[in-house]
Amino acid sequence: KDPISIDRLVLVNPATSYDRTGWPTLGALIAKSGPAFPAMGIGALMATAVQRDQFIRIGRQIMGRINSTASARAELDNMFQAGSQIMKLLPPSTLEWRLKEWLLLGSFLMNDRFDRVTQPALILTGGGDRLLPSGQEGRRLLKTLTHKSNHSKVVDLVEFEDSGHALLDGSFDLLTVMKGSAVFKDVDFSSDDTPIAAAE
């Protein structure tokens, strides 16, 4: 018996498509880029994971805080420090390991194990995801999870056509989406025993 009992799944832009993208090669090159790693890593993430409207929203927030040369300098310092923090949290060796051992191996292993998934699943995808083909993968998982297990299992797919990879950016209310899904139809969200109700 599994030590952890998982009742239902919420998959957000699932990375089960990772092995069918160019990221195994590109990610390895970025991780081995030496001194260029910070610029290449952040550049690749910004180009693929952040949508235009997210850039605009972030830019407006930053511009709203700038009212002097000193505040402009402080914002630039904050951005530089944020980049440095990302590089400390995810140095090249950690990135390389996660890409190879988590994403590549994990997506490869999962492809033969979908029949073992017995839990109801809510799949959320961003149609504009440039990091992974999430829209296509969500539709594939809907078909695969429904077909490879008992047909009474509930699998819902919610597609956000104009959203990208950073789907949980606050542009929609996740709790409302969950409440509207058949996957959570038997959950009492008003109960104090429901962890997400406490977080609301």
Side-chain angles (χ1 to χ4, degrees), residues 70-122:
S71 59
R73 187 176 300 125
E75 287 297 330
L76 287 172
D77 287 345
N78 287 341
M79 285 190 269
F80 178 75
Q81 287 173 11
S84 297
Q85 275 303 113
I86 291 170
M87 294 305 123
K88 284 179 188 171
L89 293 171
L90 194 63
S93 58
T94 303
L95 175 65
E96 188 172 21
W97 187 87
R98 287 184 179 180
L99 293 175
K100 185 178 175 185
E101 301 298 328
W102 278 8
L103 291 170
L104 186 59
L105 185 59
S107 60
F108 172 76
L109 291 174
M110 267 310 297
N111 281 322
D112 291 329
R113 290 172 168 82
F114 285 114
D115 56 336
R116 297 183 191 180
V117 177
T118 58
Q119 296 86 351
L122 171 60

Side-chain angles (χ1 to χ4, degrees), residues 110-179:
M110 267 310 297
N111 281 322
D112 291 329
R113 290 172 168 82
F114 285 114
D115 56 336
R116 297 183 191 180
V117 177
T118 58
Q119 296 86 351
L122 171 60
I123 305 164
L124 307 175
T125 63
D129 189 349
R130 297 185 312 275
L131 188 67
L132 296 168
S134 296
Q136 180 183 356
E137 183 66 1
R139 292 185 291 277
R140 183 183 83 90
L141 288 177
L142 175 66
K143 184 177 176 182
T144 304
L145 289 172
T146 305
H147 175 70
K148 291 203 172 184
S149 63
N150 85 53
H151 289 277
S152 64
K153 180 175 73 178
V154 177
V155 181
D156 270 357
L157 171 63
V158 180
E159 298 179 88
F160 297 87
E161 288 303 320
D162 298 327
S163 296
H165 191 74
L167 194 56
L168 300 179
D169 67 347
S171 58
F172 69 92
D173 183 15
L174 177 60
L175 186 59
T176 300
V177 172
M178 291 171 67
K179 286 178 178 178

